[in-house]
Amino acid sequence: MNAQHPSGRARTAVVIGGGVAGPVAALALQKAGIAATVYEAHRPGTGSKGGPLTLAPNGLSALRVVGADADLAETGIPTPRMVVHSGAGKVLGAIEHAPELPTMVTLSRGRMTELLQARAEAAGVPIVYGRRFVDATDTGRSVIAQFDDHTTAEADVLIGCDGIRSTVRSHIDPAGPRPRYTGLIGLGGFIEGPAGVVDTGGAFHMVFGRRAFFGHLSDGERTGWFANLPVKRLDRDALRATAFEEWTARMRAAFADDASPALRLLDHVTPASFIPPSPLEDLPHLPHWSKGRIALIGDAAHAASPSSGQGASLAAESAIELARCLRDLPVDRAFQAYEAIRRGRVERIIAAAARTNQSKAAGPIAARIRDAVMPFVMERFMTPERTAWQHAHAIDWGRRVR
Ligand SMILES: Cc1cc2nc3c(=O)[nH]c(=O)nc-3n(C[C@H](O)[C@H](O)[C@H](O)COP(=O)(O)OP(=O)(O)OC[C@H]3O[C@@H](n4cnc5c(N)ncnc54)[C@H](O)[C@@H]3O)c2cc1C
């Protein structure tokens, strides 16, 4: 039986999901004096490897609060620059990251998760693998989580970090909005070696191609790439049933007329290094992030589409802010404060990414306008000063939440 803390503050937490938000939340809760156990549906090594993921300076700053930044920074490819090209090969602009901020890094989503899980376990956080959350009962004094193997776990609070298709979310708002499909699917992977392209010297090259969007970076030893293809009507079964050869053929056709290294790189993609397609989705506005003793963080509450390059970073930020609120306030007020701190920022970033998605799926006329206007927009609005609200965001862990 769970003993209620007289102050109404949480002392124990069940964390559902061991992706990004879960391990970071558990580390931050531990730092706040709250004992957390993470329950992850997949066993180690059985989840998706995932394609290249960029961790933004603000994400690394957040991870620094719990000492989880260094492993990721050492493992990933430093990526201080993004260079944007048109399908005709013209450079439309570049985004340089401010040198005083942590340098953005790129690594696979699977590797990032492994490193965060290892960091949490090294700090003494228990992670129970192969345990899928199915239901929760909020008794008013505690929450009891139920898992697919009929076991249960009880704690003062339950934190849902179970991603964009969250099961925990359905307990907070069963009729709430579902993830929104952006009209694009994402494919990609990491290849050992240069894969037909040159070392990009810390730059992630992005091409607004004539029919689809292509990105790649290489440090000569590893090459990460992704493609976003417009697919109007999403049929998940058809996505799953389509073979590797068919995808490479479709990508070849999509990139055939672009002045980009896509076709050269595709020659090096093998079934083993290929991450099958996933629909790009977001969750722009979830009306309720918590109910009773249950709260959501990361993609479960506020999924930014991959075009933001911010989903993992926002998940880490929210994990730390929620722990800070639970450290200083009784549970109900902590959940309100957390939402008040986070909602405006995450929804602004999700909206900005939605605009980028429209540019990626532009028709021929809109694409011509985009290519003409973008150099001006990038020079004017994508400077370190103009993007500081995203990248220079830092959490003041020592400041009390009231
Ligand atoms: C193609 C693609 C490219 C992306 N690129 C970027 C990028 O460049 N930069 C960036 O910052 N973000 C990127 N993202 C987004 C980023 O991956 C997510 O925002 C981030 O992983 C969210 O972290 P999370 O912990 O909330 O969810 P997840 O990382 O999805 O973790 C959820 C975890 O919960 C587990 N789980 C699910 N259901 C249950 C259950 N019922 N019980 C127990 N465990 C459960 C899952 O197995 C998983 O481990 C990309 C996403 C995609 C799809």
Side-chain angles (χ1 to χ4, degrees):
M1 188 66 193
N2 215 50
Q4 176 85 349
H5 194 279
S7 66
R9 290 196 190 152
R11 291 191 301 193
T12 56
V14 161
V15 174
I16 304 298
V20 180
V24 180
L27 279 164
L29 288 164
Q30 187 188 58
K31 196 175 161 94
I34 299 165
T37 302
V38 178
Y39 295 86
E40 164 56 45
H42 289 104
R43 293 187 188 283
T46 62
S48 163
K49 286 187 289 203
L53 178 143
T54 53
L55 204 52
N58 51 298
L60 287 159
S61 298
L63 291 174
R64 187 171 289 171
V65 174
V66 291
D69 58 324
D71 304 345
L72 276 70
E74 276 161 27
T75 306
I77 302 178
T79 318
R81 197 173 319 112
M82 298 248 175
V83 185
V84 180
H85 308 254
S86 71
K90 186 176 154 204
V91 173
L92 299 176
I95 307 171
E96 303 280 348
H97 289 281
E100 69 275 14
L101 298 179
T103 303
M104 186 159 88
V105 289
T106 306
L107 71 173
S108 80
R109 280 199 297 145
R111 188 77 188 112
M112 181 179 62
T113 295
E114 281 168 16
L115 289 169
L116 291 174
Q117 290 171 348
R119 173 56 48 194
E121 287 179 312
V125 170
I127 303 185
V128 184
Y129 295 96
R131 198 71 73 81
R132 182 172 288 277
F133 167 89
V134 289
D135 206 351
T137 309
D138 186 337
T139 68
R141 293 175 62 81
S142 70
V143 196
I144 302 165
Q146 287 160 42
F147 299 96
D148 58 350
D149 60 359
H150 305 293
T151 58
T152 58
E154 185 175 7
D156 293 336
V157 288
L158 185 146
I159 313 297
C161 307
D162 51 343
I164 193 162
R165 316 232 141 260
S166 171
T167 307
V168 178
R169 190 169 60 226
S170 56
H171 286 269
I172 290 178
D173 191 355
R178 303 265 180 275
R180 178 176 70 169
Y181 174 53
T182 60
L184 296 161
I185 60 162
L187 318 91
F190 262 99
I191 304 168
E192 293 297 319
V197 297
V198 292
D199 183 334
T200 58
F204 207 134
H205 291 281
M206 311 276 184
V207 183
F208 281 97
R210 289 180 170 87
R211 297 183 200 89
F213 190 84
F214 181 75
H216 85 283
L217 90 168
S218 178
D219 65 1
E221 289 173 14
R222 297 164 288 176
T223 301
W225 69 278
F226 73 91
N228 293 158
L229 306 184
V231 172
K232 271 213 177 77
R233 242 178 245 107
L234 180 65
D235 178 344
R236 288 175 196 276
D237 293 334
L239 278 196
R240 270 190 290 271
T242 305
F244 164 74
E245 293 74 16
E246 170 72 19
W247 285 119
T248 46
R250 279 201 208 173
M251 285 190 281
R252 288 189 168 286
F255 297 124
D257 298 328
D258 290 344
S260 87
L263 298 185
R264 270 198 328 275
L265 194 146
L266 285 171
D267 285 342
H268 295 261
V269 177
T270 59
S273 71
F274 176 68
I275 307 300
S278 54
L280 303 193
E281 296 173 309
D282 65 7
L283 189 62
H285 177 78
L286 187 72
H288 308 288
W289 287 8
S290 66
K291 185 171 153 196
R293 293 180 164 269
I294 305 177
L296 302 170
I297 49 179
D299 278 7
H302 50 69
S305 84
S307 298
S308 68
Q310 281 283 353
S313 296
L314 294 179
E317 286 180 6
S318 285
I320 288 163
E321 289 290 23
L322 178 60
R324 195 167 73 89
C325 294
L326 284 167
R327 176 194 66 189
D328 295 343
L329 296 171
V331 172
D332 52 347
R333 285 182 49 213
F335 287 172
Q336 283 167 19
Y338 150 68
E339 194 171 324
I341 290 170
R342 296 297 296 159
R343 188 181 278 284
R345 171 168 172 77
V346 300
E347 291 190 353
R348 189 175 168 199
I349 289 175
I350 294 169
R355 290 193 290 276
T356 305
N357 289 331
Q358 281 168 7
S359 298
K360 285 180 174 181
I365 295 167
R368 267 212 289 280
I369 297 169
R370 175 197 66 207
D371 292 353
V373 170
M374 195 166 279
F376 168 77
V377 172
M378 290 205 59
E379 201 180 326
R380 200 73 201 270
F381 299 107
M382 300 310 277
T383 61
E385 298 74 34
R386 292 288 192 136
T387 55
W389 69 275
Q390 284 197 35
H391 296 144
H393 182 85
I395 297 168
D396 186 354
W397 175 261
R399 197 154 61 88
R400 252 187 102 67
V401 187
R402 291 176 199 282

